[in-house]
C-alpha cells in the first residue's frame, strides 16, 4: 500500500478510453462498477464536448461478484451495437475486472458472433501500466487489428502516395493542447509541401487505417502516444518515423531537417528501386527545407528575435524548475536553457517508465534531474531551490501559489482553463511564439510582484472595504459574529452591510444569528 | 411496520446503467464537516483519479484525506493488510494527529475481501486513534449513499450517558447530570428524567441572553442526522427553537469527540433523503424512534418536517403557516419563471423526490423522476407529500424510475423535450448542444438547500439555465450539433 494524495498519470483504463473516444464512431464499454464512468464527465467538462461521450459501462455489481458477468457483458456489447452502430467496440477492463479475472476475451469472441461492429478487448493491465502506457498500447492494438484485417481482406493500400506524405500519430482526447497542435502541424506540413495522409487517433475513422501504409513516413509529436504504433508500422512495412517533438525553434528545425532527410532517402530509394517509372519527367525532386527554416526562424516566427531582445536579456540566468510529462518537460527545459538563457535548476518527469529517455534528453540543459511521481518530492525540491518561476502541471501551480512563485502550466494533469478556446498550439513556429509569451509572462509577473513588495505596493485596500457609516449603534452578538464568519470572505462585507441595513430598518440594534438569517430571507422578499 | 407505498405513484426499475458519482466522493464534504477527522480511502488509482478530479480545487488545500493505494502485492496477498494499514495509519497519526480515522472501503477491498471491520478494532487499540469503517463502494451504492454508510458507522460510536467520556466536555460535569450519569440502572429511569437532562444540556450548549427565559418546552431528546454546512445547522436549530424544540445533538458534529449522546428511546429525524441505513441503524441498534417526515427542502417540505416533529413530540406548531406564506411570497419572481414548465430528473443523488415535490409545488410538471435507489419506507412521508402535492396542483403523477438507464432516458428526453433536465455533467453539455436546458445535479448536493431560508437558493439553481437561455434567446443558435447527430 502507498499513501497517495495526488497522482500525475491516471489509471490504465483512462488511456484506453482516451484513444477509443478519439476515433470517430468507436464505442468503449467499461467493465466496471457504478461511478467509474467519470471519464465521461471529464471529457464533457474539460473539452466542452457537444456529443455524448461514446463510453458506457457494463456494470459490475453484487450479482456480478456472486455469479460472474455471464450474459451481461455480451448483452451490453450487442445492445450498443444495435443502438449506435459503431465501427468498433472496445471492451475496456478496469482495476475491478483485473482482479475478478473473468474471461473477457471469451465475451469478446461471443459478442463478435452477433455484433456487426468489430469487437476488441483492450490489452491493458491496471496494475502494470498507467494511463499513458495504456493509451500507447491501445492505439497500437487498434492499428494492428485493422492492418491485419485489411491484409486478410486483401484491401490494404500499400502503394505510396505520389507526393511525399505523412501520418501524424499521437493526438487524442484530453491531451494537452492537442487540438491546436494538430492544426499547427497540419499547417506546417502544408507549408513543407507534404500531404497529410492520416491523423491518428483524433477524429480518424477505423476504415481509414488500411491506407496507413500509403504515407511516406510517420510523425510522432509526442513521446507518450504513438511510438508503439510507429514501431509496428516500421517493422511491418519499413515505414520510417520522425520522433522529434517540434517544440521550440531549435527542435522544430531539427524535426524539419529530419523530415527532409527521411523524404529524400525515400526519393532516392524509389529511383533506385524503380528507375523507369520515376525517372525522367516524373522524377520527384529532392526537398530542401533550409530556406523555409531560415525564413521562419528569422522573420516569420517571433521567438528567435524575442530571445535576442532586451526584454529577454533580463531573464538571463533566472532560475526555473520544470516538471511534467516526458515530451513537454524535456522540450520546455531545452527552450528555457538553449533558447532563452534561463538557468534550469531542476528538470523532472513523472514518466518513470520512460525515465532513461528523459535523462538523455535533458542532460546538459539542467543542473538536476528528478524522476518521481510523488508530488511531495517535487514540492520539496521547489521549496528548496526557490526558483523565480515554475513550469509544471496544475499541482506545481498550486505549490507555486503556496510559495508565492509564478507557474506556467505545461503538462497534464490539467484543469478546464488549460483547454482554451483560442488558438494555443505548443508545437511548430506559432507554438514557439506561444511559449515565449507563457515563459515571459510567468517571469514578469513574479518580478512585478517582487517590486511591489519592495516599494510597499500601490494597493488601497482600506478604501475599498470601507463599511457603512451609520452603524455605530449596532451591536453584533457572539452568535451573530460566529455566523458572519461562516460567510465566505469575498462576500462577507456585503452580507454584513445587508444585515446591518436590515437591522436598522427593523429597529433592532442587536444582531444575533436569528436576525442574520431573517435578513437573508428578507432579501428574497 | 408495513411498507405503505402510495399506490398511485408509478414505480419502475430499469437496468441501472446510469451515470453518478462514486460514493467515496462523500469524503469531499465529510472531511470538511468533521474538522478533526482524516479519511483514508483504501482503493486503487481509479478511486484516486476520481477523487482528484471530482474535488477540483479542494485537493490543493491540504485535504485531510488520502488514498491507501493498493498495489499488486496487496491484491495477491503478498503483503499483510494489517501491517500495511498500520504503517499508513501511524504515518497519518504522526503527520496530522486526527481524532478519528475513517476508512472508506472500496470495490477492490470488497472483491479481495479485506476484513476492514475486523482489522480496525485491533489497530485502533494498538495506535490509540479511533478507526471508523464505512464500506462506501460502487458495487453497492451511489454518490450520496456514501455519507449514509459513514454516518451509520458513526451512529455506533455515539456515546451513551454512561459511557460519555468525561474529557469530551469538562464543563458538562454538572452535579445533577452526574447523578444521572452514575445511575446505571435500567433505561426507564433515564427516560423519566428527560426534562432534567435537557435543561442541563441547555445550560451547556447555549448561552441564552439573560433577558430570555428558557425558550424550550419539555420534550424527549431529539437527534438530527445528516451532514449539513454549519450555517444550515444553525438555521434548522433556530427553526425548531421557534417551536420550543431543543435539538439534543447532530450526527455528525464538527468534532468527532462531540458526537451526541444517544440513548434508547431518543427521537431521531433525518434531514436528507439518502440516509436510510443511518435511520435503520439508529432504530435497530441504538433503539431510537425515527420520525418519518418529509425532508426540509423547500418551504413546503420544511413546514411538513417541522409539523411532523411537533406532532410526534406533542407540540402545537406555532405560526408555521404564516412563515411558509411569507417565504413563498419572497419566491414569487422565481416561481413565475418556472410555472408551467416541465422538469426531468435523470437521477443520481437521491434528492430527486424531495426536489421534484418542491418544484411541482412551484407549478412545474415532472414527467419522470429518476433515482438510484428508492427506500419506500424511509421516504414514505416524502412520497406521500409528493402525491398530495400533485393532486393539489392538479398535475399528473410522475413516473419514478429506480436504477434508470441513461440511454433510454435520453430517448425519452428527446421525445418529451422537457424545459429542464436535471442531470450529471456527463450529459449536460451534449443535451445543451441539442437545445435542451440542463442543470447540473451535483450542485444540489453542495448548495445550501435546507430550511425556509434556503428555498430561494434552490430556485436560484433551477432557474439559472432558464434565465441564461432567455438572455441568449434572440440569438437563434440554440441547437449546436449538426442535424444528423441530434
Amino acid at each position: 500500500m502507498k499513501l497517495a494524495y495526488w497522482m500525475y498519470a491516471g489509471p490504465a483504463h483512462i488511456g484506453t478510453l482516451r484513444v477509443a473516444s478519439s476515433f470517430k464512431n468507436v464505442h468503449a464499454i467499461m467493465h466496471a462498477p457504478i461511478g467509474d464512468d467519470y471519464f465521461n464527465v471529464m471529457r464533457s467538462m474539460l473539452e466542452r464536448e457537444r456529443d455524448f461521450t461514446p463510453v458506457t459501462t457494463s456494470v459490475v455489481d453484487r450479482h456480478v461478484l456472486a455469479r460472474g458477468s455471464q450474459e451481461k457483458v455480451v448483452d451490453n456489447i450487442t445492445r450498443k451495437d444495435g443502438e449506435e452502430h459503431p465501427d468498433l467496440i472496445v471492451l475496456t477492463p478496469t482495476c475491478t475486472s483485473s482482479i475478478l479475472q473473468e474471461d473477457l476475451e471469451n465475451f469478446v469472441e461471443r459478442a463478435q458472433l452477433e455484433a456487426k461492429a468489430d469487437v476488441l478487448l483492450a490489452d491493458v493491465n491496471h496494475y502494470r501500466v498507467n494511463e499513458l502506457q495504456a493509451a500507447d498500447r491501445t492505439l497500437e492494438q487498434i492499428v494492428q487489428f485493422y492492418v491485419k484485417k485489411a491484409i486478410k481482406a486483401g484491401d490494404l493500400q500499400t502503394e505510396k502516395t505520389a507526393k511525399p506524405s505523412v501520418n501524424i500519430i499521437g493526438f487524442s482526447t484530453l491531451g494537452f493542447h492537442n487540438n491546436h497542435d494538430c492544426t499547427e502541424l497540419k499547417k506546417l506540413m502544408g507549408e513543407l509541401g507534404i500531404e497529410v495522409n492520416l491523423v491518428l487517433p483524433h477524429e480518424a475513422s477505423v476504415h481509414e487505417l488500411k491506407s496507413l501504409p500509403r504515407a511516406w513516413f510517420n510523425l510522432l509529436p509526442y513521446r507518450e502516444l504513438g511510438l508503439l504504433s510507429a514501431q509496428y508500422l516500421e517493422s511491418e512495412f519499413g515505414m520510417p518515423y520522425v520522433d522529434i517533438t517540434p517544440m521550440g525553434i531549435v527542435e522544430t528545425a531539427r524535426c524539419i531537417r529530419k523530415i527532409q532527410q527521411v523524404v529524400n532517402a525515400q526519393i532516392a530509394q524509389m529511383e533506385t528501386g524503380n528507375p523507369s517509372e520515376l525517372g525522367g519527367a516524373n522524377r520527384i525532386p529532392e526537398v530542401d527545407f533550409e530556406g523555409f527554416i531560415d525564413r521562419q526562424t528569422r522573420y516569420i516566427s517571433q521567438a528567435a528575435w524575442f530571445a535576442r531582445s532586451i526584454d529577454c536579456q533580463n531573464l538571463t540566468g533566472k532560475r526555473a524548475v520544470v516538471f511534467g510529462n516526458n515530451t513537454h518537460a524535456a522540450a520546455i527545459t531545452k527552450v528555457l536553457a538553449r533558447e532563452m538563457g534561463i538557468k534550469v535548476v531542476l528538470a523532472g518527469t513523472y514518466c518513470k517508465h520512460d525515465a532513461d529517455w528523459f535523462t538523455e534528453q535533458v542532460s546538459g540543459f539542467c543542473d538536476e534531474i528528478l524522476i518521481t511521481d510523488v508530488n511531495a518530492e517535487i514540492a520539496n525540491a521547489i521549496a528548496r531551490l526557490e526558483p523565480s518561476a515554475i513550469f509544471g502541471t496544475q499541482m506545481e501551480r498550486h505549490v507555486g501559489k503556496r510559495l508565492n512563485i509564478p507557474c506556467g502550466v505545461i503538462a497534464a494533469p490539467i484543469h478546464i482553463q488549460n483547454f482554451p478556446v483560442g488558438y494555443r498550439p505548443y508545437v511548430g513556429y506559432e507554438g514557439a511564439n506561444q511559449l515565449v509569451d507563457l515563459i515571459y509572462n510567468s517571469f514578469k509577473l513574479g518580478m512585478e510582484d517582487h517590486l511591489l513588495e519592495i516599494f510597499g505596493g500601490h494597493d488601497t485596500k482600506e478604501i475599498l472595504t470601507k463599511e457603512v457609516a451609520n452603524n455605530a449603534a449596532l451591536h453584533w452578538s457572539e452568535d451573530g459574529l460566529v455566523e458572519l464568519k461562516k460567510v465566505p470572505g469575498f462576500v462577507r462585507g456585503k452580507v454584513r452591510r445587508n444585515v446591518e441595513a436590515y437591522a436598522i430598518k427593523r429597529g433592532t440594534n442587536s444582531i444575533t444569528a436569528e436576525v442574520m438569517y431573517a435578513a437573508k430571507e428578507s432579501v428574497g422578499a | 411496520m408495513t411498507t405503505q407505498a402510495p399506490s398511485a405513484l408509478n414505480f419502475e426499475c430499469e437496468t441501472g446503467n446510469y451515470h453518478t458519482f462514486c460514493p467515496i466522493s462523500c469524503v469531499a464534504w465529510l472531511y470538511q464537516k468533521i474538522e478533526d477527522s482524516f479519511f483514508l480511502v483504501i482503493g486503487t488509482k481509479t478511486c484516486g483519479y476520481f477523487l482528484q478530479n471530482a474535488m477540483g480545487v479542494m485537493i490543493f488545500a491540504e485535504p485531510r484525506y488520502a488514498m491507501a493505494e493498493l498495489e499488486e502485492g496487496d491484491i495477491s496477498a503478498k503483503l499483510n493488510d494489517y501491517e500495511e494499514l498500520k504503517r499508513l495509519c501511524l504515518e497519518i497519526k504522526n503527520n496530522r494527529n486526527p481524532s478519528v480515522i475513517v476508512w472508506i472501503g472500496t470495490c477492490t477491498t470488497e472483491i479481495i475481501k479485506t476484513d476492514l471491520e475486523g482489522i480496525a478494532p485491533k489497530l485502533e487499540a494498538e495506535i490509540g486513534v479511533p478507526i471508523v469503517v464505512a464500506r462506501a463502494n460502487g458495487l453497492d451504492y451511489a454518490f450520496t449513499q456514501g455519507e449514509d454508510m459513514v454516518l451509520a458507522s458513526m451512529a455506533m460510536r455515539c456515546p451513551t450517558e454512561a459511557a460519555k467520556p468525561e474529557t469530551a466536555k469538562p464543563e458538562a460535569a454538572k452535579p445533577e447530570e452526574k447523578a444521572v450519569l452514575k445511575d446505571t440502572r435500567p433505561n426507564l429511569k433515564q427516560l423519566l428524567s428527560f426534562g432534567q437532562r435537557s435543561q442541563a444540556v441547555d445550560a451547556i450548549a447555549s448561552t441564552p441572553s439573560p433577558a430570555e427565559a428558557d425558550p424550550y418546552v419539555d420534550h424527549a431528546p431529539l437527534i438530527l442526522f445528516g451532514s449539513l454546512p454549519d450555517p444550515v445547522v444553525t438555521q434548522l436549530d433556530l427553526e425548531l427553537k421557534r417551536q420550543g424544540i431543543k435539538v439534543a445533538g447532530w450526527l455528525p458534529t464538527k468534532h468527532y469527540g462531540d458526537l451526541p449522546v444517544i440513548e434508547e428511546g431518543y427521537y431521531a429525524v433525518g434531514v436528507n433523503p439518502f440516509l436510510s441505513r443511518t435511520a435503520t441503524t439508529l432504530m435497530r441498534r441504538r433503539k431510537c424512534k425515527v420520525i418519518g417526515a418529509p425532508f426540509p427542502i423547500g418551504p413546503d417540505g420544511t413546514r411538513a418536517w417541522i409539523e411532523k416533529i411537533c406532532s410526534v413530540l406533542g407540540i402545537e406548531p406555532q405560526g408555521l403557516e404564516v412563515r411558509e406564506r411569507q417565504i413563498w411570497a419572497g419566491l414569487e419572481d422565481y416561481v413565475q419563471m418556472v410555472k408551467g414548465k416541465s422538469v426531468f430528473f435523470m437521477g443520481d443523488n437521491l434528492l430527486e423526490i424531495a426536489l421534484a415535490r418542491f418544484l411541482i409545488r412551484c407549478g412545474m410538471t415532472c414527467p419522470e423522476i429518476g433515482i438510484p435507489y428508492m427506500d419506500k419506507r424511509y421516504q414514505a412521508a416524502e412520497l406521500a407529500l409528493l402525491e398530495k402535492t400533485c393532486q393539489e396542483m392538479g398535475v399528473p403523477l410522475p413516473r419514478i424510475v429506480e436504477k434508470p438507464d441513461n440511454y433510454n432516458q435520453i430517448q425519452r428526453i428527446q421525445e418529451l423535450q422537457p424545459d429542464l433536465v436535471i442531470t450529471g455533467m456527463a450529459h449536460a453539455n451534449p443535451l445543451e448542444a441539442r437545445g435542451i436546458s440542463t442543470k447540473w445535479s451535483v450542485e444540489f448536493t453542495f448548495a445550501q438547500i435546507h430550511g425556509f431560508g434556503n428555498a430561494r437558493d434552490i430556485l436560484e439553481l433551477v432557474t439559472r439555465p432558464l434565465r441564461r437561455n432567455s438572455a441568449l434567446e434572440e440569438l437563434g443558435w440554440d441547437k449546436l450539433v449538426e442535424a444528423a447527430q441530434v
Side-chain angles (χ1 to χ4, degrees), chain A residues 113-342:
Chain A
L113 296 177
E114 286 181 52
K116 288 201 183 69
D118 296 312
V119 189
L120 268 181
L121 172 66
D123 173 30
V124 293
N125 179 331
H126 174 91
Y127 294 94
R128 303 273 165 88
V129 296
N130 67 20
E131 169 188 354
L132 304 172
Q133 294 162 287
D136 201 14
R137 170 68 189 128
T138 303
L139 181 59
E140 183 205 16
Q141 209 185 344
I142 294 174
V143 165
Q144 264 198 37
F145 179 83
Y146 281 99
V147 165
K148 283 185 178 155
K149 194 177 170 188
I151 291 174
K152 212 169 157 193
D155 62 357
L156 189 77
Q157 300 168 15
T158 48
E159 193 187 326
K160 296 288 173 203
T161 54
K163 279 189 181 167
S165 60
V166 61
N167 300 317
I168 313 178
I169 307 179
F171 301 117
S172 79
T173 294
L174 292 176
F176 184 69
H177 291 243
N178 272 202
N179 280 344
H180 311 302
D181 282 359
C182 180
T183 309
E184 183 66 15
L185 281 191
K186 281 188 196 163
K187 189 176 131 234
L188 180 64
M189 292 304 122
E191 285 166 347
L192 296 175
I194 294 171
E195 276 173 19
V196 176
N197 185 50
L198 269 182
V199 170
L200 285 189
H202 175 69
E203 292 195 345
S205 154
V206 292
H207 299 307
E208 298 167 343
L209 294 176
K210 57 174 177 276
S211 70
L212 269 174
R214 297 198 73 208
W216 289 29
F217 68 102
N218 294 315
L219 176 61
L220 307 178
Y222 310 121
R223 174 72 186 171
E224 289 80 11
L225 179 57
L227 191 59
L228 287 175
S229 308
Q231 285 167 343
Y232 166 74
L233 291 169
E234 185 185 42
S235 70
E236 199 73 10
F237 306 108
M239 287 179 79
Y241 62 85
V242 176
D243 62 349
I244 298 166
T245 303
M247 206 176 289
I249 293 283
V250 177
E251 291 297 288
T252 301
R254 206 158 74 84
C255 177
I256 295 173
R257 290 197 180 105
K258 178 76 185 180
I259 291 172
Q260 174 179 318
Q261 186 194 329
V262 165
V263 168
N264 286 341
Q266 298 223 353
I267 290 172
Q269 201 182 351
M270 281 177 193
E271 278 180 52
T272 52
N274 201 346
S276 61
E277 197 176 303
L278 286 162
N282 288 334
R283 186 175 177 277
I284 299 173
E286 289 206 344
V287 293
D288 180 4
F289 299 141
E290 284 304 330
F292 174 79
I293 293 171
D294 191 63
R295 210 172 57 251
Q296 278 292 333
T297 312
R298 278 178 198 279
Y299 308 115
I300 311 289
S301 169
Q302 295 299 310
W305 156 236
F306 190 89
R308 296 267 161 187
S309 73
I310 298 298
D311 275 338
C312 201
Q313 211 178 71
N314 286 338
L315 299 181
T316 308
K318 284 254 178 295
R319 294 149 51 85
V321 165
V322 182
F323 191 79
N325 61 333
N326 269 357
T327 302
H328 291 85
I332 302 294
T333 300
K334 290 182 210 168
V335 169
L336 289 170
R338 191 165 54 188
E339 296 176 24
M340 298 181 90
I342 289 157

Side-chain angles (χ1 to χ4, degrees), chain A residues 2 7 51 57 62 79 524, chain B residues 17 69 110 140 330 405 434:
Chain A
K2 196 170 81 178
M7 69 181 75
D51 281 314
T57 311
R62 277 285 151 190
R79 179 186 160 184
Chain B
N17 209 323
E69 196 184 309
E110 287 296 312
D140 301 303
D405 185 298
R434 284 156 183 78

Side-chain angles (χ1 to χ4, degrees), chain A residues 363-413:
Chain A
S363 291
F365 295 112
C366 60
D367 299 348
E368 226 181 287
I369 294 171
L370 179 64
I371 313 285
T372 183
D373 55 3
V374 179
N375 67 288
E377 283 185 30
I378 178 71
N380 290 341
I382 291 171
R384 168 172 57 85
L385 294 163
E386 288 187 65
S388 317
I390 310 166
F391 298 93
T393 71
Q394 278 291 339
M395 192 67 204
E396 283 68 50
R397 192 171 74 84
H398 284 267
V399 171
K401 257 191 193 166
R402 215 164 54 209
L403 300 173
N404 246 329
I405 302 171
C407 177
V409 174
I410 54 145

